[in-house]
């Protein structure tokens, strides 16, 4: 075995240079071959498989073609998500993008990761009790306020008198993002001339549970229900199904959020009043941008701070039948061929969607 010793005035500098070169090379290798995890919360919405993960994977391929991207979905089970979280750390994940099933329980996951020098990017749903390393999302409070205000304005324009009643269907009580949407809805409704007849937190965002609750409220309040503020398209669909099952025609205006294909079809058909256009690929790509910065050993810039976490929050657009063509189809977010099928073709044609 041979060894090389650097001597003389230049020796230490050359040695330091070689050491620095090895450090840079090692860091570059770690970046180019890093393992990254993308952990999503449930399958109640189709967005994670159809939009979020594909968008994240495509963006990561541009940043780091040699990186390994692990995708897991917890299917609404917080204990399963914890197992998945621990598993990806064992597999060597350097950055974990986490959309938590239970925002409170996720605080312990952040602590575990950070103790092992693993970065955590909270995704879509914040983690209030333990600051993650970064948070990427649409502005959820703004979403709640926007969909509710849109409904209030529509009710006023339709001649619904002051004092009329609305139902409020929130998301999961274990989801901090749902809490932010709820707060935004409260802000808009409390400033309006309308009253909230009843309010419900939907376990696991499950549409059947929203439908069951709405059915009970229809029996209870009947024609006094002049509108429904539902926190996402799944709960909106559940409420609409309950009204239809009860023979209510027309269905009172119902809000939504996520711009799912089913919701777009309901808006086109006139059964749902609004939704929120927030192409998940936008946030997924932003999360990949942050991952890339972390893998370089750098600190990503923040545009805002939420729950003591550096954040980037996107402002979405409200979609109704009046602007659905411009916001969804003209922008290429969805294709008419995928939405305007079967019974919806004629209604699409009336809106100029082809």
């Amino acid at each position: 075995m041979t060894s090389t010793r650097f001597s003389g005035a230049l020796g230490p500098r050359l040695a330091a240079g070689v050491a620095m070169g090895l450090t840079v090379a090692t860091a570059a290798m770690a970046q180019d071959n890093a393992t990254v995890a993308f952990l999503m919360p449930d399958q109640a919405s189709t967005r994670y498989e159809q939009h979020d993960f594909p968008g994240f994977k495509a963006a990561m391929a541009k940043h780091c073609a040699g990186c390994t991207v692990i995708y897991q979905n917890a299917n609404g089970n917080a204990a399963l998500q914890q197992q998945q979280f621990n598993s990806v750390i064992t597999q060597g994940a350097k950055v974990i993008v986490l959309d938590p099933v239970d925002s409170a329980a996720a605080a312990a996951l952040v602590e575990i990761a950070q103790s092992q020098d693993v970065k955590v990017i909270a995704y879509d749903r914040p983690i209030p009790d333990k600051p993650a390393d970064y948070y990427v999302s649409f502005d959820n409070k703004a979403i709640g306020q926007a969909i509710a205000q849109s409904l209030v304005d529509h009710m006023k324009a339709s001649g619904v008198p002051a004092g009329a009643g609305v139902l409020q269907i929130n998301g999961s009580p274990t989801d901090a993002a749902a809490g932010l949407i709820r707060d935004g809805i409260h802000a808009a409704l409390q400033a309006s001339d309308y009253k909230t007849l009843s309010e419900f937190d939907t376990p696991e965002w499950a549409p059947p549970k929203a439908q069951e609750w709405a059915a009970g409220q229809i029996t209870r309040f009947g024609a006094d229900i002049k509108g429904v503020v539902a926190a996402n398209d799944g709960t909106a669909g559940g409420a609409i199904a309950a009204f239809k099952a009860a023979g209510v025609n027309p269905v009172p205006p119902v809000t939504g959020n996520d711009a799912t294909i089913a919701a777009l079809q309901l808006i086109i058909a006139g059964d749902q009043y609004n939704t929120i256009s927030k192409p998940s690929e936008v946030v997924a790509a932003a999360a990949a941008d942050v991952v890339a910065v972390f893998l370089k050993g750098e600190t990503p810039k923040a545009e805002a701070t939420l729950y003591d976490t550096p954040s980037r929050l996107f402002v979405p657009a409200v979609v109704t039948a009046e602007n659905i063509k411009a916001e969804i189809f003209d922008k290429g977010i969805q294709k008419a061929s995928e939405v305007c099928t079967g019974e919806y073709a004629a209604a699409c044609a009336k809106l100029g969607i082809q």
Side-chain angles (χ1 to χ4, degrees):
M1 183 177 68
T2 61
S3 63
T4 302
R5 177 177 296 178
F6 299 101
S7 60
L10 295 179
R13 294 183 185 178
L14 184 55
V18 172
M20 182 177 294
L22 289 172
T23 300
V24 171
T26 302
M29 187 178 297
Q31 177 189 346
D32 292 341
N33 298 285
T35 296
V36 176
F38 193 73
L39 305 184
M40 296 296 100
D42 60 61
Q43 295 179 8
S45 172
T46 58
R47 54 172 282 196
Y48 301 114
E49 273 72 31
Q50 295 182 1
H51 300 286
D52 294 78
F53 177 58
F56 180 77
K57 186 177 181 180
M60 279 302 304
K62 295 178 182 178
H63 285 298
C64 181
C67 284
T68 298
V69 179
I70 301 172
Y71 172 67
Q72 297 285 341
N73 189 302
N75 199 24
N77 187 322
L80 176 59
Q81 187 168 70
Q82 181 175 354
Q83 294 173 13
Q84 293 171 343
F85 193 92
N86 292 334
S87 174
V88 297
I89 290 179
T90 301
Q91 294 176 64
K94 297 301 181 184
V95 184
I96 300 174
V97 180
L98 175 66
D99 193 339
V101 173
D102 186 323
S103 296
L109 303 182
V110 174
E111 190 166 352
I112 290 170
Q114 292 176 345
S115 71
Q116 299 183 50
D117 199 28
V118 175
K119 301 294 186 182
V120 177
I121 300 170
Y123 182 87
D124 194 38
R125 304 176 182 182
I127 303 172
D129 297 334
K130 177 68 176 178
D133 296 286
Y134 207 89
Y135 175 51
V136 180
S137 178
F138 284 96
D139 187 331
N140 288 296
K141 184 174 181 180
I143 286 172
Q145 191 156 5
I147 59 176
Q149 189 61 53
S150 172
L151 178 71
V152 167
D153 293 343
H154 174 67
M155 290 171 64
K156 284 184 178 180
S158 302
V160 178
V166 299
L167 299 179
Q168 180 173 339
I169 305 178
N170 303 317
S172 170
T174 65
D175 175 359
L180 292 171
I181 295 172
R182 177 201 62 215
D183 293 346
I185 294 171
H186 284 166
L189 291 183
Q190 289 170 4
S192 76
D193 294 328
Y194 302 115
K195 64 181 180 180
T196 302
L197 297 172
S198 188
E199 182 176 348
F200 178 63
D201 293 336
T202 310
E204 302 170 358
W205 288 93
K209 294 179 181 178
Q211 180 176 347
E212 181 182 2
W213 180 81
Q217 305 314 300
I218 294 167
T219 301
R220 180 181 177 189
F221 294 108
D224 290 339
I225 303 170
K226 301 300 183 183
V228 179
V229 186
N232 80 339
D233 291 336
T235 54
I240 292 167
F243 281 107
K244 287 183 172 293
V248 177
N249 187 23
V251 173
V254 179
T255 73
N257 164 32
D258 286 338
T260 63
I261 288 178
L264 297 176
Q265 290 173 331
L266 288 172
I267 289 172
I268 289 167
D271 291 324
Q272 183 170 323
Y273 176 63
N274 72 21
T275 188
I276 287 285
S277 175
K278 52 175 192 180
S280 300
E281 293 88 347
V282 172
V283 180
D289 292 344
V290 177
V291 169
V293 174
F294 278 137
L295 290 179
K296 293 177 183 177
E298 300 173 359
T299 301
K301 295 180 180 179
E303 299 175 353
T305 301
L306 186 68
Y307 296 119
D308 296 324
T309 304
S311 305
R312 185 175 182 188
L313 305 176
F314 293 86
V315 179
V318 177
V319 175
T320 67
E322 293 180 357
N323 68 348
I324 191 170
K325 179 178 181 296
E327 287 291 339
I328 300 297
F329 299 99
D330 291 351
K331 292 183 178 179
I333 294 173
Q334 290 289 357
K335 296 179 181 179
S337 60
E338 296 178 353
V339 177
C340 300
T341 58
E343 61 185 293
Y344 302 103
C348 281
K350 289 182 180 179
L351 295 174
I353 303 168
Q354 298 177 346

